[in-house]
Amino acid sequence: MNYLEWCPDFGVFHINVREAAELVVLDMWQSGWIQDIDEPEEWDGSQGDCEVLAMLEEDVAVFEARLLAAVDSGRLKAAVLRRDFHERIVSGDTYVSYGDLDDWLHGRGYGQEDHNDAISEWLDNEADIVEKVIQEVAYLRAAKRAGRLRETISGDPDAAYKATILENQRLKDLLANPKADQQAKVDRPLRIRQRRTLLTVIAALCQSHKLDSQGRGTAQRIMEMTDAIGAHVDDGTIANLLREIPDALESRKK
């Protein structure tokens, strides 16, 4: 039985206890909370890397036990809870929402400001799943309008057929409303590693231009540079970014 099917929202942004332990421990390791474990030479940053997970297995097991205890006590709410005949919680079939997990972590000193690429990547993947679900729902609704829903469900159509149905519906909607094709672009937030990389680049540019990134007047100077290229950024925003540079540099030097 797939207990994920019992989760709200088709299980999107939900994770079972075992996988949650792996995700959080990997993220903590990347953030420097877990030390004395060196990064493999050829590790590409993938959170599913078997070698990395094997290195972290002892910490994962400890954290999994903590999560199970939290779920058992009710301090961490389970979206789907499964126990065996010994009344032990089955971690692979017990799911929590990411929101509840994040609140639980934050309450124990590991807030969003501590998160690293592992959690960011997981959230990005869940967002991609949401987009796929939305596309599938849009396709099925378009098929229903075209009077082909039953054959669609029973026939398991290929991607080209789906694309044709969706494009036909999009063109119909466009003819009815010419502005319907103007889709808003949504910017995703930078991952933590990407943000630290950009801050490091800014620090290097400041040094190249003989600017002290933490000195007075630097934010004003950079604001003037943005004005010179016609893309104004106010000095308050720039100052906030500059204040993050020391932490970014320290993280990359670990």
Side-chain angles (χ1 to χ4, degrees):
M1 179 180 294
N2 185 0
Y3 288 85
L4 181 61
E5 297 174 359
W6 296 7
C7 281
D9 302 323
F10 307 103
V12 177
F13 287 107
H14 287 74
I15 187 170
N16 69 45
V17 171
R18 172 64 190 184
E19 292 174 346
E22 292 178 346
L23 175 65
V24 175
V25 167
L26 178 57
D27 196 84
M28 286 181 167
W29 174 62
Q30 291 176 335
S31 299
W33 276 56
I34 297 174
Q35 300 179 356
D36 301 325
I37 299 179
D38 295 330
E39 180 178 309
E41 291 184 4
E42 298 184 1
W43 183 52
D44 62 359
S46 172
Q47 59 179 275
D49 187 279
C50 295
E51 183 179 357
V52 171
L53 292 177
M55 291 166 44
L56 297 172
E57 176 56 35
E58 185 175 338
D59 293 286
V60 170
V62 170
F63 205 84
E64 181 181 9
R66 292 173 181 169
L67 290 176
L68 289 171
V71 171
D72 199 28
S73 66
R75 290 188 290 271
L76 175 57
K77 179 183 177 183
V80 174
L81 177 62
R82 184 196 168 201
R83 296 180 184 270
D84 61 20
F85 286 113
H86 298 284
E87 290 302 316
R88 293 173 299 203
I89 297 174
V90 181
S91 61
D93 291 329
T94 296
Y95 289 81
V96 298
S97 75
Y98 174 75
D100 290 333
L101 175 63
D102 187 48
D103 289 343
W104 183 84
L105 291 169
H106 188 271
R108 283 144 189 84
Y110 194 72
Q112 293 183 359
E113 66 277 6
D114 301 301
H115 293 177
N116 212 287
D117 280 352
I119 287 179
S120 296
E121 182 180 343
W122 187 87
L123 290 172
D124 282 348
N125 289 338
E126 290 298 296
D128 288 340
I129 292 172
V130 170
E131 291 180 8
K132 293 293 185 182
V133 170
I134 291 173
Q135 291 172 6
E136 187 69 15
V137 171
Y139 157 67
L140 290 173
R141 285 178 174 165
K144 179 182 178 183
R145 291 172 191 164
R148 309 185 70 169
L149 180 59
R150 291 186 180 277
E151 62 183 271
T152 291
I153 294 175
S154 62
D156 190 22
D158 59 21
Y161 178 76
K162 286 185 176 182
T164 300
I165 291 287
L166 283 172
E167 181 63 12
N168 287 341
Q169 187 59 48
R170 188 188 72 81
L171 291 174
K172 289 180 181 178
D173 292 341
L174 181 58
L175 289 173
N177 179 12
K179 294 183 178 181
D181 197 41
Q182 298 177 2
Q183 298 180 352
K185 293 183 178 179
V186 179
D187 291 331
R188 287 188 178 179
L190 288 174
R191 293 183 181 177
I192 293 173
R193 181 173 293 181
Q194 292 172 324
R195 186 176 183 86
R196 288 173 178 166
T197 298
L198 290 175
L199 289 169
T200 301
V201 171
I202 293 172
L205 290 172
C206 284
Q207 182 173 332
S208 175
H209 285 76
K210 294 182 171 52
L211 293 173
D212 179 2
S213 65
Q214 304 305 299
R216 293 186 60 184
T218 300
Q220 176 72 25
R221 290 280 307 279
I222 296 176
M223 182 186 73
E224 293 170 357
M225 295 178 188
T226 66
D227 288 337
I229 63 172
H232 175 77
V233 180
D234 69 81
D235 56 348
T237 299
I238 295 170
N240 288 335
L241 288 171
L242 294 178
R243 278 194 285 270
E244 296 182 36
I245 286 178
D247 288 341
L249 293 177
E250 182 180 355
S251 174
R252 291 187 66 87
K253 290 177 181 178
K254 286 181 179 179

